[in-house]
Amino acid sequence: MTTERWTDEMMDDLASTVEDLSSTVDRTTQNIEQTNRNVDMLVGAVNALLERDSQRDEEIRRRNEDFQQYKLENDQRFNTLLEEVRFLIRKLGDNQ
């Protein structure tokens, strides 16, 4: 009878240990799932920031191109006006 009682106690202890381990596994699984959701949110946030930076870089590149075009046009206007002023100065010198 003592062996049977000892076996019953051991089985009860084992069942309790299995329940504890099962609870621990469940909590660990929930923690892992929550961590995965957190990681997914962080990856999404980082991707959004990268996209925003990419759009900003594109906007800067476009504005730089616009500025270069504007500068080129202004340089051409300046050179045209300079040539006209030189022509007028020569003409004025020829008339005197």
Side-chain angles (χ1 to χ4, degrees), residues 12-87:
D12 288 345
D13 287 348
L14 182 60
S16 177
T17 300
V18 168
E19 285 179 25
D20 290 347
L21 287 173
S22 179
S23 293
T24 301
V25 167
D26 288 345
R27 282 193 312 275
T28 302
T29 300
Q30 290 171 355
N31 288 339
I32 289 170
E33 289 171 349
Q34 182 61 47
T35 299
N36 287 341
R37 286 190 294 275
N38 291 345
V39 167
D40 288 343
M41 288 188 325
L42 286 172
V43 167
V46 167
N47 285 337
L49 288 172
L50 290 172
E51 178 63 26
R52 189 183 72 187
D53 284 351
S54 177
Q55 290 172 353
R56 186 174 59 206
D57 289 347
E58 180 61 26
E59 178 66 17
I60 289 169
R61 186 195 59 74
R62 187 189 60 75
R63 286 183 182 185
N64 188 41
E65 288 175 358
D66 290 348
F67 175 76
Q68 293 301 323
Q69 182 63 32
Y70 173 78
K71 184 178 178 301
L72 178 65
E73 291 170 3
N74 278 341
D75 287 349
Q76 290 170 345
R77 282 191 213 116
F78 174 79
N79 288 334
T80 300
L81 288 173
L82 184 60
E83 288 302 316
E84 288 178 14
V85 167
R86 287 179 179 157
F87 172 76

